[in-house]
Amino acid sequence: AHGRQLRCFDHGGTVGEVLQACFAAHPGLGHYILDDQGRIRKHVLLFADGCRLGAATALDHVLEAESELYVMQALSGGQGEPG
């Protein structure tokens, strides 16, 4: 399955600002990415221009107008390989 591409911001800013613009344009999206404290959820990964961002500092990471931000949900659980 392919993800969905959203264009919410067309100039530089922090990851937090870009995400807030996306949340404003797409109500309901925010709770999938941020928790009740406004922190990145445990199973969400952010990549900016091909580099993984650490959860503790990701929202303050500065993006350029040409930057690409990828938001991915990490998968966990399930069964291991069959015996």
Side-chain angles (χ1 to χ4, degrees), residues 11-15 18 48-49 53 61-69:
H11 54 83
T14 66
V15 168
V18 170
D49 300 319
L53 303 178
H61 181 85
V62 177
L63 300 169
E64 302 297 328
E66 313 78 37
S67 290
E68 292 185 349
L69 177 65

Side-chain angles (χ1 to χ4, degrees), residues 31-79:
H31 76 275
Y32 287 104
I33 299 172
L34 302 179
D35 65 17
D36 295 342
Q37 310 300 306
R39 295 181 298 233
I40 299 168
R41 290 192 177 276
K42 180 179 177 182
H43 294 292
V44 171
L45 303 175
L46 299 178
F47 292 82
D49 300 319
C51 296
R52 183 175 173 189
L53 303 178
T57 59
L59 296 176
D60 295 323
H61 181 85
V62 177
L63 300 169
E64 302 297 328
E66 313 78 37
S67 290
E68 292 185 349
L69 177 65
Y70 292 89
V71 179
M72 300 178 191
Q73 185 174 14
L75 300 178
S76 63
Q79 298 178 355

